[in-house]
Amino acid sequence: MTLTRTKPLLIVTGLTAALALTGCAGSAKQKESDGAAGAGGMIAQLTFPSEADASVGSLANYNPYAPKPLTTTWLYEQLIVRNALTCEETPWLAEKATWEGGEKLTFDIRQGVKWTDGQPFTAKDVAFTFNLMKQYPALDKPGVWTSTFGAPATSVTAEGNKVVFAFSGNAAPKYDGIIASKILPEHIYSKVGDPTKYVDKTPVSTGPFKVGSFNGRQLVLERRPDYWQADKIKVKKLVLEGQYDASQAALKLRSGQLDAYFGEIPNPEKTFVSADPKNNHFYYAPNGMSVLTGNNEKPPFNDAKFREAISYAMNKQEMSLKATYGVMKPASQTGLKLPSMDKLLPAQYAGKDTVMPYDLAKAGELLDAAGYKKGPDGKRTNPDGSPLAVNFSVQAGWIDYQAVADVAVKGLNDLGITSKVTASAPDSVDGQKKTGDYQLMIEYLHGGCELAKNLGTKLSSTQIPTKTEVLPNVQRFKDPAVDAAVTKLAGDTDRESQKTDLAPLVDTMMTQYPVTSLIYAPARVIYRTDKAVGWPSEQDPYANPQDDKLLMLTHLTAPK
């Protein structure tokens, strides 16, 4: 486990509710013709690792809703691609999306798209896909027909080239799940019974490739000249082959047998880039953040003053160096991915450094003031005089988490807080999250654009883990005012008011320290530029390199 966890853009009037949840994208932004995508020559072949794990074996199944399809990326497509880094949107099978309040969502479906068997793709295919989710609930990953994150749908209908979702109440938080759902061909999947059990051996899809061959080990995909945006697809052949660990991937990349890898390679600058700085590169985008999570229901972590004090004892630069070889930057205490989400910052934090500095002296002063005094032996006690000791639970084998935990515990011990790391099986740590039987651990704060579902659920008392389920509020933070703010943020459909709605959550992070932001967690791409250029980068973060591979493909061209 690792720390994971041009033409001007056209604003689409009325797309407010779900986009407004972020305050970052606001509306679907069209990139119908992108300069980077249209320039350059054709690429004969690119080779990526297989998307299927070794257990798939020789079974050819392209059903995007199967537990283990051969590929989930290159064949079946979604309605709109939303870049989780910048929150910008690129219309895909839908040209536009429009909310009316939070109860009605309409998609304008792209015309002229064809399935690989030559049949036209229509709005009926879209409506069919989502109605199939009602018939087979296991298919309903976005929760369209349930009360998960918003009111359930009452109907999904095709009306000409439009698809209309009607909900029984506000359903704005479902938006990201809806637009990311893969659309199925009605003329095929209406005949297969339960789609979750269907083995799709001859895929009929709308994507840029068709299956060339699969020999049980190597999947070869061939470019479709009749693809609806074929002018943006410069890769003639895409080969998916092999499941590689870090050392194998590094060797394959250096030798040119792989053109990109999306997993972790420790110290990529040394192990990969240095071998050929001209052609070897990497981009580790901030995908979320690792956070220091104390049990807010138990002393001393039920004391916000204690939580604030120890936040200054976290040496984030050292954590980055030991866990990510210095690649990932210290994270903002706001809970937002900065600088990409700068526009969301409340006025009092705009333009300020919101990363908690490493300052042991200040941490000590704050602990003294809060009553956590040092005794003659240099060890601190609780305000009632009892011994102060902290046990840090960490998942055994998660090397990066263990590295961060070691640095955190050193900071606490340097403050005079007796602390130790206890490594346990990941399942055991999950059990501690469910029961609350822990003091301190590392957790993940999702950095996606639907902040009511991400930062909001991290702080909402409705999202405290149960005995059977790990929910986001692992620290068990409770504040009725914060709950009300999360509800308002989730239900607001006005883009301009989202910054105001978000402000109480940011302020809570900055003043009550329900969790302490440590370092950003990466979405990775490690790549070569001898065959293809146009990869996303820190200078041009047009795509999340792990989630937006299809969008990334439209930017790749042969080097000049």
PDB file of all heavy atoms in Angstrom, residues 79-80 115 179 362 516:
ATOM      1  N   LEU A  79     -19.662   9.827 -19.705  1.00  0.00           N
ATOM      2  CA  LEU A  79     -20.367  11.000 -20.216  1.00  0.00           C
ATOM      3  C   LEU A  79     -19.488  12.247 -20.233  1.00  0.00           C
ATOM      4  O   LEU A  79     -19.441  12.977 -21.228  1.00  0.00           O
ATOM      5  CB  LEU A  79     -21.620  11.256 -19.372  1.00  0.00           C
ATOM      6  CG  LEU A  79     -22.694  10.167 -19.452  1.00  0.00           C
ATOM      7  CD1 LEU A  79     -23.793  10.426 -18.432  1.00  0.00           C
ATOM      8  CD2 LEU A  79     -23.268  10.084 -20.857  1.00  0.00           C
ATOM      9  N   ILE A  80     -18.804  12.501 -19.139  1.00  0.00           N
ATOM     10  CA  ILE A  80     -17.958  13.692 -19.000  1.00  0.00           C
ATOM     11  C   ILE A  80     -16.732  13.286 -18.194  1.00  0.00           C
ATOM     12  O   ILE A  80     -16.835  12.509 -17.239  1.00  0.00           O
ATOM     13  CB  ILE A  80     -18.700  14.851 -18.297  1.00  0.00           C
ATOM     14  CG1 ILE A  80     -19.838  15.382 -19.185  1.00  0.00           C
ATOM     15  CG2 ILE A  80     -17.764  15.993 -17.938  1.00  0.00           C
ATOM     16  CD1 ILE A  80     -20.750  16.393 -18.507  1.00  0.00           C
ATOM     17  N   TRP A 115     -21.077   2.844 -32.256  1.00  0.00           N
ATOM     18  CA  TRP A 115     -20.502   1.685 -31.595  1.00  0.00           C
ATOM     19  C   TRP A 115     -19.573   0.973 -32.572  1.00  0.00           C
ATOM     20  O   TRP A 115     -19.646   1.207 -33.787  1.00  0.00           O
ATOM     21  CB  TRP A 115     -21.613   0.735 -31.139  1.00  0.00           C
ATOM     22  CG  TRP A 115     -22.533   1.320 -30.107  1.00  0.00           C
ATOM     23  CD1 TRP A 115     -23.759   1.866 -30.333  1.00  0.00           C
ATOM     24  CD2 TRP A 115     -22.287   1.441 -28.703  1.00  0.00           C
ATOM     25  NE1 TRP A 115     -24.309   2.321 -29.167  1.00  0.00           N
ATOM     26  CE2 TRP A 115     -23.420   2.066 -28.132  1.00  0.00           C
ATOM     27  CE3 TRP A 115     -21.235   1.081 -27.858  1.00  0.00           C
ATOM     28  CZ2 TRP A 115     -23.531   2.330 -26.765  1.00  0.00           C
ATOM     29  CZ3 TRP A 115     -21.346   1.338 -26.505  1.00  0.00           C
ATOM     30  CH2 TRP A 115     -22.466   1.956 -25.962  1.00  0.00           C
ATOM     31  N   ILE A 179     -21.371  10.873 -14.023  1.00  0.00           N
ATOM     32  CA  ILE A 179     -20.635  11.201 -15.248  1.00  0.00           C
ATOM     33  C   ILE A 179     -19.511  10.220 -15.529  1.00  0.00           C
ATOM     34  O   ILE A 179     -19.064  10.095 -16.673  1.00  0.00           O
ATOM     35  CB  ILE A 179     -20.078  12.642 -15.216  1.00  0.00           C
ATOM     36  CG1 ILE A 179     -19.048  12.826 -14.109  1.00  0.00           C
ATOM     37  CG2 ILE A 179     -21.213  13.654 -15.103  1.00  0.00           C
ATOM     38  CD1 ILE A 179     -18.316  14.161 -14.169  1.00  0.00           C
ATOM     39  N   LYS A 362       7.446  26.013  19.536  1.00  0.00           N
ATOM     40  CA  LYS A 362       6.058  26.467  19.639  1.00  0.00           C
ATOM     41  C   LYS A 362       5.173  25.343  20.145  1.00  0.00           C
ATOM     42  O   LYS A 362       4.262  25.569  20.958  1.00  0.00           O
ATOM     43  CB  LYS A 362       5.558  26.969  18.296  1.00  0.00           C
ATOM     44  CG  LYS A 362       4.146  27.531  18.364  1.00  0.00           C
ATOM     45  CD  LYS A 362       3.762  28.305  17.107  1.00  0.00           C
ATOM     46  CE  LYS A 362       2.391  28.940  17.274  1.00  0.00           C
ATOM     47  NZ  LYS A 362       2.011  29.798  16.126  1.00  0.00           N
ATOM     48  N   THR A 516      -4.527  16.333  11.303  1.00  0.00           N
ATOM     49  CA  THR A 516      -3.411  17.187  10.881  1.00  0.00           C
ATOM     50  C   THR A 516      -2.936  16.738   9.509  1.00  0.00           C
ATOM     51  O   THR A 516      -2.552  15.578   9.321  1.00  0.00           O
ATOM     52  CB  THR A 516      -2.239  17.106  11.878  1.00  0.00           C
ATOM     53  OG1 THR A 516      -2.670  17.605  13.144  1.00  0.00           O
ATOM     54  CG2 THR A 516      -1.052  17.927  11.386  1.00  0.00           C
TER      55      THR A 516
END
